[in-house]
Amino acid sequence: MKIYAKIRFYWGAFVISTIVALGMIPLITIFPKYKGTIMHKLNRVILFLMGAKLKTFGKRDERANLFLINHQGIMDIIALEAVENTHFRWVAKKELFETPWFGYLLKNGDMISVDRENKAGLVKLLKDTKESIEEKNRAVAIFPEGTRAKGQELLPFKVGAKVVASKLNMRVQPIVIVGSKYVLNEHNKTGHSGTIQIHYLDAFDVKDASKDWYDKVKNNMQNLINKIEEEKGIQR
């Protein structure tokens, strides 16, 4: 079984890299007006080839312009893009924009880069987010943990998302993704066929929320993850 899981991982990595390099990047470059639809369709192809299924719970709030999502790995992005056809503007660390293939995808997809080592990074994030919602009419998706978690326990939330949401009076919707790490685990390099669950939590306007809203979001997300683990035995 371990060998099979390793084969599944490398197959998944091959599928993702190939479709990104030979499909997504050329197509969004040639047809920039259809970036969202191209990303949506090709991410669905990736899931199909990897033997992964999607199941959603709740609904996306169409008025929400900031989505806070837990982060297990690259499958989180693939799954959400496969479900949504609205061309999110993802926030990613600056280093990813400099990587082969995926760097081109982020740049050509007009995503937001953030430099966590630079104090000016938060100012840029605020400016780019404001541009996204006021000029580009694109909702922003961010992983408040800032990096991939190794297990089901959420990492501490970075302050950036809270500051941006509060400064811009955004409407926030948390999203919990479960099962993505089982489909493709980038830490131990294993893969499986499985179902990725996407849970849309209740959206809210930050201006009407309590001062500790950010902590409450994290607690609600963790509680849901724990509940799913206990009730349905989602494999990690």
Side-chain angles (χ1 to χ4, degrees):
M1 288 297 291
K2 289 183 178 180
I3 294 176
Y4 178 72
K6 291 290 184 182
I7 293 173
R8 295 278 315 201
F9 170 81
Y10 287 108
W11 165 249
F14 171 76
V15 167
I16 295 169
S17 299
T18 300
I19 291 181
V20 166
L22 302 181
M24 289 185 189
I25 294 174
L27 288 175
I28 67 173
T29 302
I30 298 170
F31 306 105
K33 291 184 179 180
Y34 304 99
K35 289 178 182 178
T37 299
I38 291 168
M39 299 282 284
H40 171 66
K41 297 292 186 181
L42 289 183
N43 278 305
R44 293 186 73 85
V45 172
I46 288 175
L47 291 175
F48 173 77
L49 293 175
M50 291 179 65
K53 296 181 180 180
L54 292 172
K55 190 171 184 179
T56 61
F57 300 82
K59 293 183 179 180
R60 173 186 171 180
D61 187 316
E62 297 298 331
R63 294 184 296 140
N65 49 25
L66 181 65
F67 295 88
L68 302 181
I69 311 160
N70 64 307
H71 196 23
Q72 295 277 289
I74 193 172
M75 295 305 299
D76 301 328
I77 300 172
I78 292 172
L80 198 54
E81 286 284 355
V83 168
E84 299 287 350
N85 188 12
T86 52
H87 197 27
F88 284 131
R89 200 171 188 206
W90 292 89
V91 176
K93 55 186 179 182
K94 180 183 176 183
E95 293 80 3
L96 292 177
F97 284 75
E98 301 167 359
T99 58
W101 303 122
F102 290 103
Y104 288 110
L105 183 62
L106 291 169
K107 291 174 185 175
N108 289 359
D110 191 24
M111 303 307 175
I112 298 175
S113 69
V114 58
D115 185 356
R116 296 196 185 95
E117 303 302 321
N118 190 333
K119 292 182 179 179
L122 183 56
V123 176
K124 179 182 180 299
L125 177 60
L126 183 62
K127 177 183 176 182
D128 289 342
T129 302
K130 185 176 182 180
E131 176 191 60
S132 296
I133 60 177
E134 294 183 358
E135 298 178 25
K136 297 180 180 292
N137 194 30
R138 287 175 64 186
V140 174
I142 189 169
F143 299 118
E145 296 167 277
T147 189
R148 295 169 297 173
K150 291 185 178 181
Q152 299 299 324
E153 191 72 25
L154 293 175
L155 300 174
F157 280 11
K158 304 291 185 182
V159 71
K162 180 182 180 181
V163 171
V164 168
S166 299
K167 290 286 186 181
L168 299 178
N169 290 322
M170 302 182 79
R171 184 168 179 79
V172 175
Q173 183 167 31
I175 297 176
V176 169
I177 300 178
V178 178
S180 61
K181 201 177 193 71
Y182 180 68
V183 172
L184 193 77
N185 190 320
E186 296 158 74
H187 286 105
N188 64 19
K189 292 182 170 53
T190 57
H192 305 83
S193 60
T195 299
I196 299 174
Q197 297 184 15
I198 298 178
H199 296 256
Y200 294 89
L201 279 64
D202 292 338
F204 60 92
D205 292 309
V206 171
K207 62 182 177 63
D208 298 327
S210 60
K211 292 183 178 179
D212 62 344
W213 68 266
Y214 203 49
D215 292 328
K216 287 183 176 178
V217 165
K218 181 177 183 293
N219 290 336
N220 289 340
M221 292 172 72
Q222 185 66 68
N223 289 339
L224 177 57
I225 292 171
N226 294 343
K227 181 180 179 181
I228 296 170
E229 288 278 313
E230 292 172 2
E231 292 183 355
K232 297 188 177 180
I234 297 297
Q235 293 173 284
R236 302 178 183 182

